[in-house]
Amino acid sequence: RWDEIVHPDDVPIFSEGFEPIRTVPNYSIEKTYRIIRKDGEVRWVREFIQNLCGSAGRPTSVQGIIYDVTSIRETEESFRKANERYRLLAENVIDVIWAVDKNFHHTYISPSVEKMRGYTVEEAMHLPLDRIFTQGSLKQMMERLAEETARYEQGEIPEKNRTSTFEAELLRKDGSTLWAEVTASYVFDADGSPAGFVGVTRDITERKKAENELRISREKLRNLHKHSEDVRESERARV
């Protein structure tokens, strides 16, 4: 009784091909569905069946094979859920998540780039470095990269969990700039060699503004204190 073995929701899938397998010569079909074991456990199976024809060329019998693919389906489902969680994170995060190859060509950039810098994902994916960083920040970044490259060429293998964080001034689509904190990590190929970078870019413009205002305030206080000292020194000199 297949109706007692096949999961009720999958009976239509299981029944697919019943008529042509009986009437169409050399007919075959592959399908995936769930079964319910004697102990009540539900398993996923993949079935491949085909008919065999007699001397008259008409189907006379059917043969097939069934594989237990439960572990594969569970892995696929876990992967799907992980991808969904990652997609939701990437689409709603404020920071920009990105990945580049060893030639600094983007292989991924999150949709948040549009809010941060005004570019769509498609536009941002094809921007050269001099359209991403201001001239000063690009120079500093390339100098740091040259140091990393030199160490690698001398035989130093980068640690897989090592990250590098630096501040950089970025260009917006409208020509304005913003300050960002960039955190980058190596991506390695199958041979363990660096193949690119992944990272996160965070807008710290407001923080930089606050730090600058604090610096100006401290400078004013120092100047005021120095002026007061000069006044008191001048008064003591007159006395």
Side-chain angles (χ1 to χ4, degrees):
R1 295 293 303 273
W2 282 104
D3 57 348
E4 296 178 356
I5 299 174
V6 177
H7 192 285
D9 294 342
D10 293 347
V11 169
I13 299 174
F14 170 77
S15 303
E16 184 181 355
F18 271 10
E19 184 59 29
I21 202 73
R22 295 169 54 197
T23 58
V24 179
N26 302 313
Y27 180 83
S28 64
I29 188 172
E30 185 175 1
K31 46 196 172 182
T32 303
Y33 55 90
R34 287 166 292 180
I35 62 170
I36 303 174
R37 291 177 13 134
K38 183 179 180 179
D39 60 7
E41 182 183 358
V42 176
R43 307 290 292 181
W44 281 95
V45 297
R46 182 170 294 148
E47 179 181 45
F48 176 80
I49 56 175
Q50 64 181 24
N51 57 27
L52 301 177
C53 299
S55 57
R58 299 177 58 186
T60 57
S61 61
V62 177
Q63 67 178 9
I65 187 169
I66 298 177
Y67 300 93
D68 186 328
V69 294
T70 304
S71 60
I72 297 175
R73 293 288 297 201
E74 289 174 346
T75 300
E76 290 174 346
E77 181 63 14
S78 297
F79 186 69
R80 185 193 65 78
K81 289 181 179 179
N83 273 347
E84 180 66 15
R85 288 193 295 268
Y86 181 78
R87 184 187 65 79
L88 290 173
L89 173 65
E91 290 182 357
N92 293 283
V93 71
I94 297 175
D95 300 338
V96 175
I97 303 169
W98 51 266
V100 295
D101 61 21
K102 58 185 178 182
N103 296 315
F104 289 94
H105 296 146
H106 277 100
T107 56
Y108 175 79
I109 192 164
S110 62
S112 49
V113 68
E114 186 164 4
K115 183 178 293 185
M116 181 181 289
R117 297 179 50 229
Y119 291 102
T120 64
V121 170
E122 185 176 356
E123 291 171 335
M125 288 283 286
H126 298 93
L127 289 176
L129 292 177
D130 59 4
R131 295 272 304 279
I132 299 175
F133 299 94
T134 61
Q135 186 174 356
S137 289
L138 178 58
K139 182 176 182 236
Q140 292 178 6
M141 189 187 74
M142 296 309 291
E143 289 174 350
R144 177 174 295 201
L145 176 64
E147 294 175 359
E148 288 282 342
T149 303
R151 284 198 291 266
Y152 176 68
E153 291 176 348
Q154 292 170 7
E156 180 181 333
I157 304 300
E159 298 175 7
K160 292 190 176 182
N161 59 352
R162 188 172 76 189
T163 61
S164 179
T165 301
F166 58 93
E167 294 181 359
E169 194 173 17
L170 307 185
L171 297 167
R172 288 193 178 100
K173 186 176 181 178
D174 62 8
S176 61
T177 63
L178 68 118
W179 277 98
E181 181 181 78
V182 182
T183 300
S185 303
Y186 276 105
V187 173
F188 298 86
D189 61 20
D191 297 326
S193 300
F197 297 89
V198 294
V200 176
T201 299
R202 172 168 295 175
D203 188 341
I204 60 169
T205 303
E206 291 302 316
R207 190 181 84 188
K208 292 287 286 186
K209 181 180 177 182
E211 289 174 352
N212 188 53
E213 290 175 351
L214 181 59
R215 181 187 59 78
I216 292 174
S217 296
R218 287 175 175 172
E219 185 66 26
K220 288 180 178 179
L221 284 173
R222 280 196 296 269
N223 291 336
L224 180 60
H225 179 72
K226 185 177 183 301
H227 177 70
S228 299
E229 287 292 326
D230 290 343
V231 170
R232 284 196 292 271
E233 186 64 29
S234 176
E235 290 176 348
R236 282 195 294 269
R238 285 201 300 270
V239 172

